[in-house]
Amino acid sequence: MTEDGRIRVLLADDQHLVRAGFRALLEAEDDLDVVGEAATGREAVDLARRTHPDVVLMDIRMPDGDGLWATGELTADPALAGTRIVMVTTFELDDYVAQAILAGASGFLVKDTEPVELLRAVRVVAAGNALLSPGATRRLIERVAGGLRPAPDAEALRDLTEREREVLALVGHGLTNTEIGERLFLSPLTAKTHVSRIMTKLAARDRVHLVVVAYETGLVQPGQR
């Protein structure tokens, strides 16, 4: 964000009318700035590396490197650790969405989202929160988890305590901090503290990433309840 708290947004979509509509909506707000527009995945990556936006609204289907490829490039770049990516799709249950979340996206929007919801989404993600609920993320990942990743790597959890592993598993199942507290007989604040520590230890971008880690490490299995 800028020093005065304004949120910097990059638009990536191969349709000029979509970008123009998003720009008009965003720039009408006092706290939002559009720092650039890209029509291809490669342009989006290049522009993001030059402008360091807080949020990228990324279309999934674009030429010259689609949104999935571009998301992977940006989330793997340490210089863009503060950039959050929201995938924009025509269809709510696009398989690419789950793959994008596995690549590090913080959520997704459908293109016919109401304007007020798009504005809320940008602000939520810029604040470091996940746009998708953990439960929605879990359902998306379950649909495609079988063939997306190699064998589980439990070694990634070696720095977690047993209690933290319990908490991570419950996050992976889509439970909120309050629900985790009830399940483990903890206060919501204590549950939140555990989640925050887990995010720090695993270098997770947000809570969505924790759900991904729970699946990648085999702590949670598709279809498990």
Side-chain angles (χ1 to χ4, degrees):
M1 296 186 187
T2 62
E3 291 183 359
D4 59 358
R6 296 175 67 85
I7 299 169
R8 307 171 76 253
V9 184
L10 173 64
L11 306 176
D13 195 295
D14 62 344
Q15 298 182 45
H16 175 74
L17 286 177
V18 172
R19 298 198 310 272
F22 283 173
R23 177 183 280 274
L25 179 65
L26 295 169
E27 292 195 332
E29 300 295 306
D30 292 338
D31 62 331
L32 304 176
D33 288 326
V34 175
V35 297
E37 296 182 23
T40 72
R42 198 168 300 279
E43 284 181 7
V45 171
D46 292 342
L47 259 179
R49 286 173 173 162
R50 293 204 304 269
T51 61
H52 291 261
D54 300 302
V55 178
V56 180
L57 293 180
M58 181 85 75
D59 187 24
I60 288 182
R61 294 183 176 90
M62 292 184 292
D64 193 21
D66 62 14
L68 181 61
W69 171 83
T71 295
E73 290 291 303
L74 296 182
T75 57
D77 189 338
L80 295 173
T83 296
R84 298 291 180 262
I85 299 172
V86 176
M87 304 305 299
V88 182
T89 177
T90 303
F91 304 103
E92 186 173 359
L93 293 179
D94 193 321
D95 279 353
Y96 285 135
V97 172
Q99 295 181 59
I101 291 171
L102 289 170
S106 294
F108 77 96
L109 291 169
V110 290
K111 286 189 177 180
D112 61 355
T113 294
E114 292 293 327
V116 66
E117 287 301 313
L118 185 142
L119 296 172
R120 183 188 70 84
V122 170
R123 294 179 177 119
V124 164
V125 173
N129 298 311
L131 181 58
L132 282 176
S133 70
T137 306
R138 173 180 56 77
R139 289 191 296 273
L140 276 168
I141 293 174
E142 279 189 349
R143 294 180 66 236
V144 292
L148 287 178
R149 292 291 183 183
D153 178 16
E155 181 66 15
L157 305 180
R158 65 185 180 278
D159 293 331
L160 300 187
T161 65
E162 284 303 312
R163 174 61 88 185
E164 288 169 345
R165 289 176 185 238
E166 287 182 297
V167 171
L168 177 59
L170 294 177
V171 171
H173 283 299
L175 273 65
T176 65
N177 290 340
T178 298
E179 292 167 336
I180 290 171
E182 291 173 351
R183 185 72 64 87
L184 299 179
F185 304 102
L186 305 171
S187 71
L189 180 58
T190 300
K192 180 179 179 180
T193 298
H194 279 304
V195 172
S196 296
R197 287 176 178 165
I198 295 167
M199 290 180 67
T200 298
K201 287 184 177 182
L202 298 179
R205 296 169 68 89
D206 51 37
R207 199 179 181 101
V208 167
H209 192 183
L210 289 185
V211 178
V212 173
V213 171
Y215 275 85
E216 287 184 330
T217 58
L219 196 61
V220 174
Q221 300 291 332
Q224 185 184 51
R225 293 290 183 271

